[in-house]
């Protein structure tokens, strides 16, 4: 995902859905959020890259690296903790759910687009959460960014 | 330790270490004559000029802003260093004028461009943020080539740079073309500063130039030893600064400078303990 | 032919002349002292002789195959130099710069030359010492050794005893004179007229009135006697 984008809040179907459902991922245990699949611990028992164990300096650079050198990361299971933002990209004019991470000076931001399994609910805007998924890089017209596919939100 | 080994698997970490060490090396070598000529703050002045050039390049949407930044910074270096001696406006005033004007003008211009994250871009340029950890292979190669060039030039012209720094009048009287060597020093300084902006950002560049040289001068009394120690000091501080910052999650630029300051304090204390050595 | 011939030269800054119509010659083996009031242009003249400045008018002809690199220069010291972290050897060696040509490093012969000149100036035992830790007199000797590395023909000295105490001053003058006896031409700028009269063979007085002649002529001239009276009390 290109970094340093200004937040552009646009209401979408997902936003509306979130308002109507009262799912707050932090408040409910993982099992209730995910509908048709097993909880995170069982779904992803080995995480290839656990970004929650990285220092902030590394975290930011690793995420950037995923964007610039996707070949090194395609297919890897990645666990990342950050803030939720429903990101609107001016270039492709689409919006995506993203997990945003900041660098050590807190003045630069980058993130990963993610796609939850099944009908799981997305977090609130600016909410902190952890998500695990498999990194894919479809590079389609619709979404030119790397996507964390089959993602699962955990509470830890 | 395992964490470190894990981090070192990433290419971008290895790139950061290579580039960081090379830039610190070049800055420190150049720092010795610059500090002695009382141009310590030139790092700051020129980096602001480079910042101004970067802003213009961004507004003009240049594909590779190096094309503008390098030449503009070189011109800035020439203006500052050559007007330093024998002119109506003395060295420090010139640096201040050019540097502040470039910074203000650059930031003003940026406001008219449509960059989405103005604060972030500016912050990155001023403090370096994590830009050293997000270098591409091409960036690394460029840096390696330029650093090697600078090192080779420095070795080839070592004695002449010494002569021009110690006593320009004498050097000129014995037939040396001091204008040419001052120009050479100016150009190399500009190149290094533009490269170093990636490492520690504009505001902290002076640290890379000053601390190694001054620390060395506290401990050694021989120009050659001062130069060599300066280089070793800078390399160790840059290397450990980067490692510490990725392990502790601190901003890279400030951490490197922090290590430099601590190391300087150590050298200063050792120098003091030794007393006035013969 | 004379080593140096100065023909009707005018010196100054920005088109303004401080000294005009200077004409004199310097022969091989000569000892010339340039005296005059402060601001009369003594240092400017020296810089012009060294090609560091262009004269406003007139010409300077060098003879006897004197190349620019063969003039040894002892300039007045700057603050930067007094505080410079360099060893004595490094400073003296830098005098060999003009001999280096296109080479990168100093040759063994050049290092040998530096050692010999340090011996001549009595500072060889300080070769590894830091320049900034030496006394004023010792620093001058180092710079003199450096100048000798650049030349064996002509030495230009700009106020060589400025700031030195009387004994050291006397030593310095004796040293310079011994160099002159070895055949080196000396051109010295000084405000110490008494010393000038003691050691120099020729005097050039620069100022409102210009005088050039032997020291005997100077001390018996009106200008000379007037100047001596003015400057008389100086040690």
């Amino acid at each position: 995902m290109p970094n340093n984008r200004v937040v552009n809040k646009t209401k979408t179907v997902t936003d509306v859905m979130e308002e109507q459902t009262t799912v707050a991922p932090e408040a409910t245990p993982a099992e209730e959020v995910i509908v048709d699949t097993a909880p995170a611990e069982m779904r992803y028992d080995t995480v290839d890259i656990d970004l929650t164990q990285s220092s902030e300096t590394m975290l930011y650079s690793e995420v950037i690296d995923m964007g610039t050198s996707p070949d090194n990361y395609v297919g890897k299971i990645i666990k990342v903790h950050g803030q939720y933002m429903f990101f609107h990209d001016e270039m492709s004019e689409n919006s995506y759910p993203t997990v945003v991470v900041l660098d050590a000076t807190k003045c630069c931001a980058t993130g990963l687009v993610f796609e939850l399994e099944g009908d799981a609910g997305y977090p609130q805007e600016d909410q902190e959460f952890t998500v695990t998924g498999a990194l894919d890089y479809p590079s389609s017209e619709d979404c030119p960014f790397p996507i964390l596919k089959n993602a699962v939100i955990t509470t830890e | 330790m395992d964490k470190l080994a894990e981090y070192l698997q990433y290419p971008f970490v290895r790139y950061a270490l290579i580039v960081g060490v090379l830039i610190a090396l070049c800055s420190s070598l150049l720092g010795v004559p610059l500090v002695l000529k009382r141009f310590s703050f030139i790092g700051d002045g020129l980096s602001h000029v480079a910042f101004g050039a970067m802003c213009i390049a961004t507004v003009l949407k240049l594909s590779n802003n190096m094309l503008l930044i390098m030449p503009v910074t070189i011109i800035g270096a020439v203006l500052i260093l050559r007007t330093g001696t024998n002119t109506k406006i003395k060295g420090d005033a010139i640096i201040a004028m050019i540097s502040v004007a470039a910074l203000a003008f650059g930031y003003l211009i940026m406001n008219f461009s449509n960059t989405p994250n103005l604060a972030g871009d500016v912050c990155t340029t001023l403090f370096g943020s994590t830009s050293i950890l997000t270098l591409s292979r091409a960036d690394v190669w460029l840096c390696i080539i330029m650093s090697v060039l600078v090192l080779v030039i420095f070795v080839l012209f070592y004695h002449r740079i010494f002569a021009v720094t110690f006593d320009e009048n004498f050097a000129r009287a014995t037939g040396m073309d001091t204008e040419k060597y001052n120009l050479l020093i100016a150009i190399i300084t500009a190149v290094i500063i533009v490269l170093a902006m990636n490492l520690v950002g504009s505001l902290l560049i002076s640290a890379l130039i000053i601390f190694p040289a001054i620390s060395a001068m506290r401990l050694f009394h021989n120009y050659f030893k001062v130069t060599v120690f300066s280089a070793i000091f800078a390399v160790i501080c840059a290397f450990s600064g980067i490692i510490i910052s990725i392990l502790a999650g601190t901003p890279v630029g400030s951490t490197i400078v922090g290590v430099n300051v601590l190391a300087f304090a150590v050298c200063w204390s050792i120098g003091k303990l030794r007393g006035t050595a013969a | 032919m004379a080593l140096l011939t100065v023909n009707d030269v005018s010196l100054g800054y920005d088109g303004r002349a401080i000294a005009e119509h200077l004409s004199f010659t310097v022969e091989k083996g000569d000892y010339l002292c340039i005296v005059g009031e402060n601001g009369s242009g003594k240092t400017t003249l020296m810089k012009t002789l060294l090609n560091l400045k262009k004269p406003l008018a007139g010409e300077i002809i060098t003879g006897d195959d004197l190349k620019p690199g063969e003039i040894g220069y002892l300039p007045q010291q700057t603050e930067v130099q007094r505080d410079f972290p360099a060893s004595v050897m490094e400073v003296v060696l830098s005098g060999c710069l003009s001999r280096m040509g296109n080479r990168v490093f100093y040759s063994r012969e050049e290092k040998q030359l530096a050692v010999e000149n340090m011996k001549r100036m009595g500072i060889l035992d300080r070769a590894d010492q830091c320049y900034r830790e030496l006394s004023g007199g010792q620093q001058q000797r180092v710079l003199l050794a450096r100048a000798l590395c650049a030349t064996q023909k002509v030495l230009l000295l700009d106020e060589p005893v400025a700031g030195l105490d009387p004994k050291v001053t006397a030593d310095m003058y004796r040293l310079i004179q011994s160099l002159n006896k070895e055949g080196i031409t000396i051109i010295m700028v000084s405000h110490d007229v008494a010393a000038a009269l003691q050691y120099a063979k020729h005097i050039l007085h620069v100022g409102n009135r210009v005088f050039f002649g032997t020291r005997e002529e100077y001390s018996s001239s009106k200008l000379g006697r007037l100047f001596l009276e003015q400057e008389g009390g100086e040690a």
Side-chain angles (χ1 to χ4, degrees):
Chain A
M1 170 188 155
N3 51 333
N4 306 336
R5 295 288 180 189
V6 163
V7 175
N8 236 316
K9 298 185 194 263
T10 41
K11 244 191 179 196
T12 63
V13 172
T14 320
D15 283 354
V16 172
M17 249 187 69
E18 269 186 311
E19 280 161 20
Q20 287 173 352
T21 57
T22 48
V23 173
E26 272 177 26
T28 48
E31 291 87 339
E32 286 188 29
V33 172
I34 286 99
V35 176
D36 280 314
T37 47
E41 296 76 30
M42 283 162 64
R43 181 74 173 83
Y44 288 114
D45 34 50
T46 43
V47 173
D48 293 315
I49 301 178
D50 187 355
L51 291 178
T52 60
Q53 300 302 314
S54 293
S55 68
E56 281 177 339
T57 315
M58 279 303 283
L59 169 62
Y60 180 87
S61 358
E62 281 170 293
V63 173
I64 297 253
D65 201 36
M66 288 172 191
T68 51
S69 319
D71 300 328
N72 295 340
Y73 299 94
V74 164
K76 295 238 163 78
I77 313 292
I78 301 182
K79 181 173 176 184
V80 58
H81 177 92
Q83 282 187 334
Y84 180 75
M85 168 159 91
F86 197 66
F87 169 69
H88 178 76
D89 179 34
E90 278 153 24
M91 301 271 260
S92 60
E93 298 199 351
N94 283 332
S95 301
Y96 318 92
T98 57
V99 53
V100 171
V101 302
L102 300 173
D103 78 329
T105 57
K106 304 269 186 284
C107 81
C108 297
T110 186
L112 290 171
V113 177
F114 69 99
E115 205 177 76
L116 288 179
E117 281 270 326
D119 296 329
Y122 285 82
Q124 310 263 4
E125 192 78 13
D126 290 339
Q127 191 144 41
E128 298 235 345
F129 69 108
T130 306
V131 62
T132 311
L135 196 70
D136 191 20
Y137 196 63
S139 46
S140 63
E141 280 279 315
D142 276 343
C143 181
F145 309 118
I147 305 179
L148 223 48
K149 285 235 158 123
N150 305 323
V152 146
I153 291 180
T154 57
T155 49
E156 41 145 4
Chain B
M1 251 1 247
D2 294 328
K3 201 78 199 145
L4 184 59
E6 190 190 307
Y7 285 155
L8 285 173
Q9 305 283 358
Y10 289 99
F12 64 82
V13 172
R14 296 195 297 270
Y15 294 165
L17 287 170
I18 295 173
V19 167
V21 159
L22 283 175
I23 291 180
L25 178 63
C26 293
S27 309
S28 65
L29 286 179
L30 215 69
V32 178
L34 285 176
V35 165
L36 288 169
K37 276 175 171 266
R38 304 294 189 261
F39 275 113
S40 304
F41 230 51
I42 199 162
D44 221 63
L46 282 182
S47 67
H48 293 179
V49 169
F51 173 81
M54 188 212 76
C55 295
I56 298 180
T58 311
V59 166
L60 294 178
K61 299 213 191 326
L62 288 182
S63 52
N64 181 7
N65 47 17
M66 272 297 159
L67 290 175
L68 185 66
I69 299 182
M70 264 308 177
V72 169
T73 313
I74 290 179
I75 294 174
V78 171
L79 280 175
I80 292 178
L81 284 175
R82 284 178 61 168
T83 58
T85 48
N86 311 321
T87 44
K88 301 186 179 78
I89 312 178
K90 279 293 160 197
D92 61 345
I94 272 272
I95 292 178
M97 279 168 49
I98 293 181
S99 121
V100 165
L103 196 61
F105 187 66
Y107 193 69
L108 262 177
I109 288 209
M110 281 290 257
N111 272 290
F112 289 118
S113 78
N114 288 317
T115 38
N117 186 3
L118 180 62
D121 279 344
V122 169
C123 171
T124 311
T125 317
L126 291 179
F127 288 100
S129 284
T130 1
S131 42
I132 186 115
L133 286 165
T134 55
L135 297 172
S136 68
R137 246 179 147 213
D139 292 329
V140 179
W141 275 114
L142 174 70
C143 186
I144 292 180
I145 293 173
M146 304 248 64
S147 304
V148 167
L149 261 174
V150 167
L151 282 171
V152 163
I153 291 179
F154 190 82
V155 169
L156 284 180
F157 294 112
Y158 172 82
H159 290 295
R160 291 171 174 87
I161 294 178
F162 171 82
V164 133
T165 308
F166 179 71
D167 194 337
E168 196 172 322
N169 276 329
F170 179 86
R172 202 149 22 120
T174 52
M176 185 166 124
D177 186 353
T178 53
E179 291 273 297
K180 200 169 77 179
Y181 290 100
N182 277 326
L183 187 61
L184 185 69
I185 294 178
I187 293 177
I188 298 181
T189 305
V191 167
I192 290 177
I193 281 174
V194 171
L195 291 178
M197 267 169 68
N198 261 337
L199 180 60
V200 292
S202 304
L203 292 188
L204 303 173
I205 277 187
S206 290
L208 287 186
I209 292 180
I210 303 175
F211 280 103
I214 303 258
S215 305
M217 288 183 210
R218 292 253 101 221
L219 296 176
F220 294 97
H221 308 295
N222 169 313
Y223 189 80
F224 181 70
K225 287 185 188 160
V226 162
T227 304
V228 168
F229 183 78
S230 216
I232 296 176
F233 180 100
V235 165
I236 294 179
C237 286
F239 191 84
S240 35
I242 295 177
I243 302 269
I244 293 174
S245 79
I246 58 179
L247 286 176
T250 49
V252 180
S254 331
T255 312
I256 294 179
V257 174
V259 173
N260 265 277
V261 173
L262 277 171
F264 163 73
V266 168
C267 292
W268 190 78
S269 320
I270 297 180
K272 258 227 137 65
L273 285 172
R274 281 225 215 124
T276 38
Chain C
M1 110 159 259
L3 206 56
L4 216 62
T5 310
V6 176
N7 258 338
D8 204 26
V9 156
S10 294
L11 308 164
Y13 294 87
D14 303 328
R16 264 183 5 134
I18 357 174
E20 294 181 290
H21 305 302
L22 291 171
S23 292
F24 60 96
T25 55
V26 180
E27 305 289 334
K28 192 155 178 276
D30 208 343
Y31 190 141
L32 172 70
C33 228
I34 304 176
V35 298
E37 294 92 10
N38 283 330
S40 55
K42 305 195 294 284
T43 303
T44 314
L45 174 59
M46 175 140 292
K47 292 205 170 147
T48 312
L49 289 176
L50 287 166
N51 259 318
L52 294 178
K53 272 190 160 52
K54 292 253 172 303
L56 289 180
E59 55 175 354
I60 299 177
I61 309 167
T62 47
D64 215 16
D65 292 329
L66 193 67
K67 296 189 267 289
E70 292 192 303
I71 298 183
Y73 179 33
L74 188 67
Q76 295 203 47
Q77 279 203 76
T78 60
E79 277 309 312
V80 170
Q81 283 155 355
R82 266 181 263 272
D83 211 20
F84 209 86
S87 68
V88 166
M89 177 66 174
E90 286 175 325
V91 173
V92 175
L93 247 187
S94 68
C96 294
L97 205 65
S98 49
R99 296 172 192 272
M100 247 192 348
N102 282 326
R103 278 180 288 117
V104 175
F105 298 110
Y106 293 117
S107 65
R108 203 178 316 153
E109 291 81 24
E110 284 155 0
K111 290 187 184 152
Q112 198 49 40
L113 181 64
V115 167
E116 270 162 30
N117 282 320
M118 285 195 279
K119 210 185 290 177
R120 237 162 136 187
M121 294 291 106
I123 46 166
L124 186 58
D125 54 333
R126 298 189 189 276
D128 290 325
Q129 243 186 300
C130 186
Y131 179 76
R132 62 185 167 195
E133 280 151 18
L134 300 178
S135 68
Q138 289 162 338
Q139 284 182 340
Q140 288 294 78
R141 284 174 188 249
V142 171
L143 297 185
L144 203 45
R146 178 184 65 166
L148 287 171
C149 282
T151 186
Q152 292 302 314
K153 293 190 178 170
V154 181
L155 274 182
L156 269 81
L157 309 148
D158 193 350
E159 309 266 10
V161 298
L164 299 180
D165 69 43
K167 178 175 182 311
V168 179
T169 300
D171 287 338
M172 184 60 83
Y173 279 131
R174 268 196 294 271
L175 196 56
I176 297 173
Q177 177 155 68
S178 67
L179 289 174
N180 186 233
K181 291 213 169 81
E182 286 177 33
I184 300 181
T185 312
I186 304 281
I187 302 178
M188 181 162 81
V189 163
S190 180
H191 64 269
D192 186 354
V193 192
L197 285 178
Q198 198 180 345
Y199 295 100
K201 293 180 188 146
H202 287 93
I203 307 265
L204 171 70
H205 182 114
V206 179
N208 288 327
R209 287 182 0 235
V210 175
F211 171 93
F212 176 68
T214 65
R215 67 160 181 250
E216 291 82 16
E217 292 166 5
Y218 185 70
S219 48
S220 51
S221 74
K222 209 163 100 184
L223 176 63
R225 278 183 303 190
L226 204 66
F227 195 61
L228 266 169
E229 249 173 59
Q230 279 177 316
E231 306 286 320
E234 286 176 25

